[in-house]
Amino acid sequence: NTVGGTPLTTLQAFVADRDGHNCYMVSDGINTAENPTISPLGDLVAYKTYDGAQTHLWVVNTDPLPANQVRFEIVDPALQTNGQSMYNGVQSLPTLLYVWDHMSWDARVDVAANRDQLYYTVNVGGGRTEIHSVQIQRNGSGQPTGLLAGPSVVETGPVAGRGARSPASFTDLAGANYLFFCGDDTDSYIEFKVNGTGASSSAARSVGVREEAPVPWMDGPTMRLFTVDVISYAPPRCNIMRLTPPMNGAAAPDRRRISYDASTSAIVSLYPTYLPPRQ
């Protein structure tokens, strides 16, 4: 594709209407844009770029006019010093963890103290990751201009010497907010924090299953999880599984495969997404 007559040689982030119309670019068109995530109100997009040496984290407002778009870089030393890219061609475990990784905006848009809060993964070195958080400051036009709070450490991982990644904020029907994320021991498993604070609690722990990229969703009154079950990191192959609480380490989850079997079909299933029903 081309933008303004210039051929694109990198992957870029675009925004469109639900029906696919009115598509326009919100990234800068220079470095490859990775892990784009849109805010709950649809007016901010966060994405990462990799310049060959460092990872950069950007936030941009989703105004369709390029002249009105403002890109603000979130400066976090843990990102700039230990950045990784999913497209740098290095088939190492820390890099591949970024392939499955995603970012998340806080779902509590009705609470001003949590609005425009972004959760993201950083690589702190030694193969360990953390989840950090920032809160975006805007001007009167809704453009990002700075930080109200952060960067701050939200989760260092439930297992000493390991890490946490792929944060996902979600609010259930009762109004309780959960921060889901992946924790590493030898096998990956899903952890969560209620209201994003306190000690992390085990949810749907799966020995022998490498679970990545948790995405919560409401199945009627029941909260469930989509996750990616990674069969192999190199080459990357995975299935999408559906996990059902109870959310404790002792009870076996109701686990159901809902995508192709990548071990036989070589079809890679990535990035499960939940779209709430239209009211």
Side-chain angles (χ1 to χ4, degrees):
N1 292 326
T2 62
V3 175
T6 302
L8 282 178
T9 58
T10 56
L11 299 180
Q12 298 298 322
F14 290 79
V15 171
D17 295 341
R18 277 177 175 260
D19 59 7
H21 291 91
N22 301 317
C23 181
Y24 57 93
M25 190 168 71
V26 293
S27 50
D28 62 12
I30 302 173
N31 294 306
T32 288
E34 306 173 355
N35 301 121
T37 180
I38 196 164
S39 64
L41 296 178
D43 52 1
L44 292 175
V45 167
Y47 65 94
K48 298 175 185 176
T49 61
Y50 185 72
D51 61 11
Q54 295 180 336
T55 298
H56 302 271
L57 177 56
W58 303 88
V59 172
V60 59
N61 57 310
T62 57
D63 194 295
L65 296 177
N68 294 336
Q69 294 175 4
V70 172
R71 296 177 189 86
F72 171 76
E73 182 175 8
I74 298 171
V75 178
D76 187 330
L79 269 174
Q80 273 75 26
T81 305
N82 300 291
Q84 297 282 359
S85 168
M86 69 177 74
Y87 296 113
N88 65 5
V90 180
Q91 294 293 301
S92 61
L93 182 58
T95 302
L96 284 170
L97 295 183
Y98 270 68
V99 175
W100 322 125
D101 182 62
H102 58 73
M103 298 183 286
S104 175
W105 293 92
D106 199 297
R108 294 168 289 183
V109 295
D110 56 335
V111 182
N114 303 303
R115 195 176 301 139
D116 297 338
Q117 187 169 354
L118 178 69
Y119 304 101
Y120 57 95
T121 302
V122 299
N123 179 359
V124 294
R128 193 170 66 84
T129 54
E130 288 180 349
I131 295 173
H132 289 191
S133 174
V134 294
Q135 190 173 23
I136 306 301
Q137 184 179 44
R138 306 190 196 209
N139 59 20
S141 301
Q143 300 165 328
T145 58
L147 296 181
L148 286 172
S152 58
V153 179
V154 176
E155 178 59 52
T156 60
V159 179
R162 299 288 180 170
R165 62 185 181 276
S166 295
S169 174
F170 190 76
T171 302
D172 66 14
L173 296 178
N177 181 262
Y178 297 82
L179 182 65
F180 288 91
F181 56 91
C182 291
D184 289 332
D185 47 9
T186 301
D187 301 291
S188 296
Y189 57 98
I190 306 303
E191 297 277 327
F192 71 94
K193 288 183 171 184
V194 180
N195 292 325
T197 61
S200 56
S201 302
S202 177
R205 183 169 181 167
S206 305
V207 176
V209 177
R210 295 164 170 166
E211 292 173 345
E212 303 279 356
V215 175
W217 62 292
M218 295 303 298
D219 183 9
T222 303
M223 184 161 58
R224 305 180 187 269
L225 288 174
F226 289 123
T227 64
V228 173
D229 171 19
V230 181
I231 299 173
S232 170
Y233 284 112
R237 296 197 313 236
C238 58
N239 294 321
I240 294 178
M241 312 292 286
R242 184 168 76 177
L243 303 180
T244 304
M247 294 178 182
N248 59 68
D254 173 16
R255 185 177 294 110
R256 293 169 241 176
R257 178 177 290 138
I258 61 171
S259 66
Y260 290 102
D261 185 347
S263 64
T264 58
S265 66
I267 295 177
V268 178
S269 299
L270 280 173
Y271 307 121
T273 302
Y274 171 68
L275 294 179
R278 281 184 160 180
Q279 299 299 320

